[in-house]
Amino acid sequence: MHRIRTASVAVIGCLLASQAVRADVRADEKSHTEFAGALGHIVNMFGGKAAKEGTSSSVAVKGDRKATIGDQTGQIIDLAEEKVYDLDMKKKSYKVTTFAQMRQRMEDAQKKAQETAQKEEPKEAKPASAPPENNIDVDFDVKDTGQKKVLNGFETHEVVMTITLREKGKKLEEGGGMVLTSDMWLTPKIAAMKEIQDFDIRYAQKLFGPMVAGASADEVAAATAMYPLMTPALVRMRTEGSKMNGTSISTVTTMDSVKSADQVAKDAQAKDADSKSSTKTPATVSGLMGAFAKKAAAKKMASGDDTSNPRSTFMTSTTEVLRVVTEVAAADVAVPAGFKENK
């Protein structure tokens, strides 16, 4: 599966990034994005060890370049050139993709994901029906839990942000929607780390699309096709997160899809009908996804779990900062010596 390492979601249409003199910064990080359900099975099958266990990487920003380098893969984003260099650290090679090509790939992937979701999504794994983006209310809550701990040498305290998107005029349980929870361990603000955030904003302003750190364009397109409220939830998270009085050293973000009361009733009827359907060996990947979902549903029923629960977690993303330095050499954001272009 072709993977394009993406930046965190940025606020589309926000003010242009500051034109002040920019500082350099490098941070060592660990990140992992996990999708549940049928999409998660496919990602784990084709994504390899990184998809299952996450990745450790060094993120460096210098001027108009950002480099994210891991053990097996790396990526360099050049805003001035509007190019992305994807590195294969083992083969010592790289491939260049323009921003225009990335936009087209994401549009194609999302269109394909939407078509697949409409035709093949198994009833047991069907996501909550979401209200149109112009017909939603957003509830926001932030709580300092009072918990403190030393994390990777940083003194931190815990803040939990909760964003709820629901149909206007209805409670979440009535009309359905989405709940995003971001559990953050904050240290006093590290000024240099804002350079990474500013770079991600400038990148998103040029690219208009990448959303989840650690996820490929194909994965993001599939997730947003299945869960339309994912985009506004992430945008609100980024907006509010930038207002926090501190720098997050560890962030665990979960996304829950909540079915409407009508959807819960329909799913109960569909489950009865599906239990009577004949079982066949799947001949396609989509069929395999359906088989996984049916097997999981049967396992839950056998164990006595409530499969009619309207709320389910479909994505979990974890990011942890291990170290921060403010000295970055030009070589830290350049294609390593000896690497050859794979055209």
Side-chain angles (χ1 to χ4, degrees):
M1 177 182 293
H2 179 73
R3 299 180 60 84
I4 304 173
R5 306 300 294 179
T6 59
S8 302
V9 65
V11 182
I12 305 300
C14 66
L15 295 176
L16 292 175
S18 170
Q19 297 301 310
V21 175
R22 302 186 184 281
D24 300 339
V25 64
R26 187 177 77 244
D28 295 335
E29 299 181 346
K30 290 195 303 184
S31 63
H32 184 216
T33 297
E34 181 179 2
F35 294 98
L39 178 60
H41 285 300
I42 297 300
V43 170
N44 287 337
M45 279 195 297
F46 295 100
K49 184 178 179 180
K52 297 177 182 178
E53 301 178 7
T55 59
S56 296
S57 59
S58 174
V59 181
V61 171
K62 187 177 183 66
D64 285 330
R65 280 202 164 198
K66 175 184 175 182
T68 304
I69 308 297
D71 292 335
Q72 299 183 30
T73 63
Q75 184 187 77
I76 297 171
I77 301 170
D78 193 308
L79 298 182
E81 296 179 355
E82 295 199 358
K83 292 180 180 179
V84 174
Y85 299 77
D86 285 300
L87 313 177
D88 187 321
M89 307 307 291
K90 289 188 175 182
K91 295 182 180 179
K92 293 188 176 182
S93 63
Y94 66 94
K95 186 172 183 178
V96 182
T97 307
T98 67
F99 284 14
Q101 290 172 325
M102 289 183 66
R103 292 187 199 101
Q104 187 60 55
R105 285 179 182 174
M106 286 186 287
E107 290 173 5
D108 292 344
Q110 186 163 22
K111 182 179 179 180
K112 184 177 181 180
Q114 288 172 336
E115 293 172 351
T116 301
Q118 291 171 358
K119 295 178 181 179
E120 305 291 349
E121 183 63 22
K123 294 183 177 62
E124 294 90 341
K126 187 174 182 179
S129 56
E133 290 184 23
N134 61 354
N135 189 36
I136 60 174
D137 281 332
V138 181
D139 301 323
F140 174 75
D141 178 69
V142 61
K143 179 181 179 181
D144 190 323
T145 67
Q147 298 296 312
K148 298 181 179 181
K149 67 178 179 180
V150 177
L151 184 60
N152 299 332
F154 298 93
E155 296 280 352
T156 68
H157 67 281
E158 185 182 35
V159 174
V160 179
M161 179 198 306
T162 304
I163 299 170
T164 303
L165 293 89
R166 55 183 172 79
E167 188 172 350
K168 278 189 177 180
K170 292 185 179 181
K171 294 181 179 179
L172 181 64
E173 297 77 12
E174 296 173 340
M178 181 173 291
V179 179
L180 182 152
T181 305
S182 187
D183 188 345
M184 298 171 285
W185 288 88
L186 303 179
T187 196
K189 191 174 288 292
I190 303 174
M193 287 294 286
K194 191 173 183 298
E195 297 301 322
I196 296 177
Q197 183 182 65
D198 286 349
F199 187 98
D200 290 343
I201 291 175
R202 290 191 289 151
Y203 178 37
Q205 286 172 335
K206 285 202 170 192
L207 193 59
F208 296 102
M211 289 180 293
V212 183
S216 75
D218 289 348
E219 293 164 10
V220 170
T224 53
M226 295 172 67
Y227 305 94
L229 290 183
M230 181 175 171
T231 301
L234 284 169
V235 168
R236 182 64 185 268
M237 180 190 74
R238 181 64 181 234
T239 303
E240 299 298 340
S242 65
K243 301 175 184 177
M244 293 292 173
N245 185 25
T247 296
S248 180
I249 299 302
S250 174
T251 303
V252 178
T253 300
T254 58
M255 285 194 168
D256 292 352
S257 178
V258 183
K259 299 176 183 177
S260 66
D262 288 343
Q263 188 66 53
V264 171
K266 289 179 181 178
D267 285 354
Q269 295 176 351
K271 185 168 61 177
D272 290 337
D274 289 340
S275 64
K276 301 175 183 178
S277 64
S278 60
T279 59
K280 301 187 292 186
T281 301
T284 65
V285 172
S286 296
L288 183 61
M289 291 168 65
F292 276 132
K294 288 182 179 181
K295 185 176 180 180
K299 192 173 182 180
K300 284 185 178 181
M301 291 176 67
S303 63
D305 291 344
D306 181 9
T307 57
S308 64
N309 188 346
R311 183 163 172 165
S312 61
T313 299
F314 69 89
M315 192 198 82
T316 302
S317 179
T318 303
T319 302
E320 184 176 343
V321 176
L322 305 178
R323 186 174 69 117
V324 179
V325 297
T326 55
E327 293 183 4
V328 180
D332 292 333
V333 292
V335 174
F339 276 52
K340 295 182 179 180
E341 184 175 0
N342 182 15
K343 296 183 179 179

